[in-house]
Structures are given as C-alpha cells and as structure tokens.
Amino acid sequence: MAEESSSGGVSRAGLIGISLGVLAAGAAAGVAIERLTVGRAMRRRAREELDAAAAFGSLRGTATTVPAADGTELYVEVDEAPPGAGPTVVFCHGYCLNQDGWHFQRAALRGALRTVFWDQRSHGRSERSRSYLAGEAASIDGLGADLKAVLDAVVPEGPIVLVGHSMGGMTVMALADRHPELFGPGGRVAGVALVGTLAGDWDAVPLGLPAVGAKVVKRVAPGVIRALGRQVQLVEATRRWGSDLAAVFYRRFSFGGKDVDPAVVRFAEQLLDATPIDVVAEFYPTFSAHDKRAALAALEGLPVLVLAGTKDLLTPPEYSEAIAAALPGARLVLVEGAGHLVMLERPGTVDRELAGLLERAAERAGTGPLPDALRERAQQPAED
C-alpha cells in the first residue's frame, strides 16, 4: 500500500491538488452532497475491507537513495532482470502520486526487463525538497535535473526507455531540454512514453468547466493553494469530512468510467491522500511556467508513445494530439472513456502499448529480441 510521505504533513491534500477547479466553481456539488449524507459508516467499512484485501502498491524492489544537486535524497527502487534482456525502463510518476502508481506496469514487466521507479522530490518516500525549504521555488527544470541524477546513479550505461505520466512526462521533457544529447543520434535514450501529459499551455486547460469558470479558477487557484499551504493545521482539521468530499473529486478527476474496480479507486485515493498540502502548494505554480514544446524536437526520430484518456480533465487529449503532431513518427493512442489515471483505469491497454514501444526501442538500440512474454503482450488485445 502507499505510505505517507517521508516529508510528513497532512493527508487529504490531494483534494486540493486534483479538485481545486471544481471546488472553486462549485461543480459536482450535488454528487458531493449525496456522498456526504448517505451511508458514511458503510463507506468506511468498505474502505477498511478494500485496504485489507488489495495488494496494489505492494511490489518492492532493491531500494536506494540518490542525492539531487541540492542534496535532496531521492528514493529509488530497481527491479532487476537477466543481463542483456533489453533497455532499462525508467518510470516517472505524476503530481500528488508516487512510484506505486505504476503498479500494473511494474507487475507486467517484473523479471522481464530491468526497471527503475523513483519518487519525485517531496513525494512518496523521497526527502522534502531542500532547495524549496531554503526559499527556492520548485520547477519542472529542477525535476529534469533530478531525473538526470537518478540515471547517472542507477543506469550509468546502456539503453534507456523513459516513461512519464503527467508531471512525470514534463520531467522527461525537461531532461530533453537540458540534455538533448541523450536523445539524439548515438544517445542512450532508445524510446519515450508520454502518458496523460502536456508540453505547455496549462493555463488554458478548462478542467471540465465552462470557459468563464475555468478562467476564474486559473486566476484564483495559485493564491488559494499558497494560502492553504501555509495553513497545515487548518487543513488537518477538515479530515473528518474531507475523506468523503475528496473521494468525489478524486473519482471525477482520476477516472473517466464508472465501472472501475472499487479497489483501484481506493488505491488511487490512498496515493493522492499521501501528499501533504504544503507539497501540493510547492508544485502547483510550476505548471503555468511549464513550456517544453521546443524541447520535443530532441525526441524526433525516436520511438515515442503518446497516450491519454479521452475523458482526461487535467491533461485533455488534445494536448497529447499536439505532442504527437510535433513528433510525426510518434504513436498516438487515445483510450476511449479513460481519465487521467489511465495506467490504473486501463492497465491492459497501457501495458500492451508499452510492450509495443519497448519492442521498437529494443530494435533501435540493438539489444536483441525482448522476452517472449513481452512480445506476445504487444500483440494481444487489451483486457480492461
């Protein structure tokens, strides 16, 4: 199961990061009221049962820590595989999540390829950002530098495939911006997957709201989040009602369909709940400043997978279409009916597409054929 961040802080913070738009605009209020007034005890018992039964997030590898440029200790786990099995696959998670969000993909690749999972600074088991605590603003460029430190420490040689979801995809773009030599001819990056992410223009994302409401939210959100980040105790005091209200928004902004396994939904809640409110405040401003459209040129000629759900409200599919348009050779996959956490909602589809990308990357890198199980997965229809 997902653990509370090593940086401490307040649970329920994901409510702020993933649902601020709807909170500010008052959307989905009817759904929230229904959840708050019906069957609270029953829902609590159901959560307890799911927590006891589900094994999501339980996969562990060889753990290590990698110091970032400012000394922040980044938590990393490596799943080893037989030598020469193919490229090493490095997974970068999104905002308010941690490495356990890749549970299904980790299970699919376990033992077949060497895989690396890490918690971005201030998230999961990584240390709270030392530079931020010293007064320096967080940045996507800083996350790209962190990824480079992880690669240097645990993947010092051999071909690499980078997989990034949401903020993790932005991290990959920042690495490409700072170190295009890793991606070009003769570079070590043999393939890239950008899942539910965007290359810029975050402030234009409507968050599923009418245009006027979206503009209001984008204008007030940074100030509201900064204020909440300074009121940790106040946010903690809302926990008695926050779990039910948070579940409404988690569901709306995480998943596109209504038939998601309740245990998966609960797992997503746990991941989001583990992010303290002050960490939410730390990273939210970085999205407005993020513009790596020019950096996409470094990925030209590489096997690239661009994948998103058609009902993703946080990084809508047209942003993935824009990335694919900038990379004519990329494979664009829009998963019908899926939301932002597409890797949890439609793991069969994501696993199949990743296997196909890894085949193309292995061919480019000249590492030889992938294990039979992976090659077969790339050819099979998704079973979601």
Side-chain angles (χ1 to χ4, degrees):
M1 288 297 174
E3 296 179 8
E4 187 169 335
S5 168
S6 60
S7 57
V10 181
S11 297
R12 314 300 172 198
L15 166 64
I16 306 301
I18 204 168
S19 66
L20 179 67
V22 177
L23 280 171
V31 179
I33 291 171
E34 183 275 331
R35 288 194 63 121
L36 287 169
T37 56
V38 178
R40 182 187 298 269
M42 181 175 66
R43 289 193 303 277
R44 184 175 62 251
R45 288 195 299 273
R47 286 186 181 124
E48 291 171 353
E49 291 175 3
L50 290 171
D51 292 350
F56 301 135
S58 62
L59 299 178
R60 301 266 65 91
T62 301
T64 188
T65 57
V66 172
D70 65 348
T72 300
E73 294 289 339
L74 305 172
Y75 179 81
V76 182
E77 291 188 6
V78 180
D79 289 353
E80 298 291 353
T88 296
V89 190
V90 181
F91 288 84
C92 307
H93 69 79
Y95 180 51
C96 295
L97 299 170
N98 63 50
Q99 63 177 267
D100 292 342
W102 296 109
H103 174 85
F104 291 108
Q105 292 67 49
R106 187 171 195 166
L109 297 179
R110 201 167 178 84
L113 294 179
R114 187 173 188 260
T115 52
V116 175
F117 302 85
W118 65 293
D119 291 339
Q120 303 234 39
R121 63 172 55 221
S122 297
H123 289 72
R125 301 165 184 85
S126 285
E127 186 183 11
R128 185 68 192 276
S129 173
R130 296 188 185 184
S131 57
Y132 182 79
L133 294 177
E136 182 179 333
S139 70
I140 300 298
D141 285 337
L143 298 181
D146 288 350
L147 174 56
K148 180 63 163 57
V150 170
L151 296 180
D152 289 346
V154 300
V155 199
E157 58 185 20
I160 305 164
V161 172
L162 300 173
V163 183
H165 168 252
S166 192
M167 188 175 76
M170 300 176 194
T171 301
V172 172
M173 296 177 214
L175 178 69
D177 191 31
R178 282 173 169 252
H179 297 282
E181 72 280 0
L182 290 174
F183 296 78
R188 295 180 56 214
V189 177
V192 173
L194 300 173
V195 181
T197 191
L198 46 75
D201 209 17
W202 156 255
D203 285 337
V205 176
L207 299 173
L209 301 172
V212 174
K215 288 181 180 179
V216 171
V217 168
K218 294 293 183 174
R219 185 167 64 248
V220 305
V224 171
I225 290 182
R226 281 196 303 271
L228 289 170
R230 294 192 293 265
Q231 298 293 329
V232 174
Q233 292 182 348
L234 176 62
V235 177
E236 174 66 14
T238 69
R239 291 181 65 181
R240 288 190 297 274
W241 57 268
S243 60
D244 291 310
L245 184 58
V248 175
F249 298 112
Y250 289 164
R251 178 87 187 212
R252 174 171 172 78
F253 283 92
S254 297
F255 304 108
K258 296 181 179 180
D259 58 347
V260 185
D261 183 345
V264 172
V265 175
R266 175 59 179 159
F267 176 48
E269 290 180 11
Q270 291 175 315
L271 292 174
L272 294 164
D273 279 347
T275 306
I277 181 58
D278 44 350
V279 173
V280 176
E282 177 181 342
F283 285 91
Y284 186 84
T286 66
F287 303 132
S288 292
H290 169 67
D291 188 346
K292 298 300 181 188
R293 284 169 282 198
L296 293 175
L299 278 60
E300 291 181 6
L302 286 176
V304 176
L305 169 66
V306 183
L307 185 147
T310 61
K311 292 188 176 181
D312 188 334
L313 298 180
L314 294 177
T315 53
E318 52 264 34
Y319 287 83
S320 287
E321 292 175 326
I323 292 173
L327 298 168
R331 175 170 171 77
L332 174 65
V333 179
L334 300 181
V335 184
E336 186 63 35
H340 190 58
L341 299 188
V342 61
M343 68 284 191
L344 293 176
E345 185 172 5
R346 300 290 181 82
T349 297
V350 174
D351 293 351
R352 179 192 63 197
E353 294 297 337
L354 279 180
L357 171 69
L358 292 171
E359 275 197 312
R360 299 189 294 276
E363 182 178 357
R364 176 184 175 85
T367 59
L370 296 181
D372 290 344
L374 279 184
R375 289 189 287 111
E376 291 172 2
R377 185 181 295 274
Q379 304 302 320
Q380 291 177 350
E383 297 180 357
D384 292 327

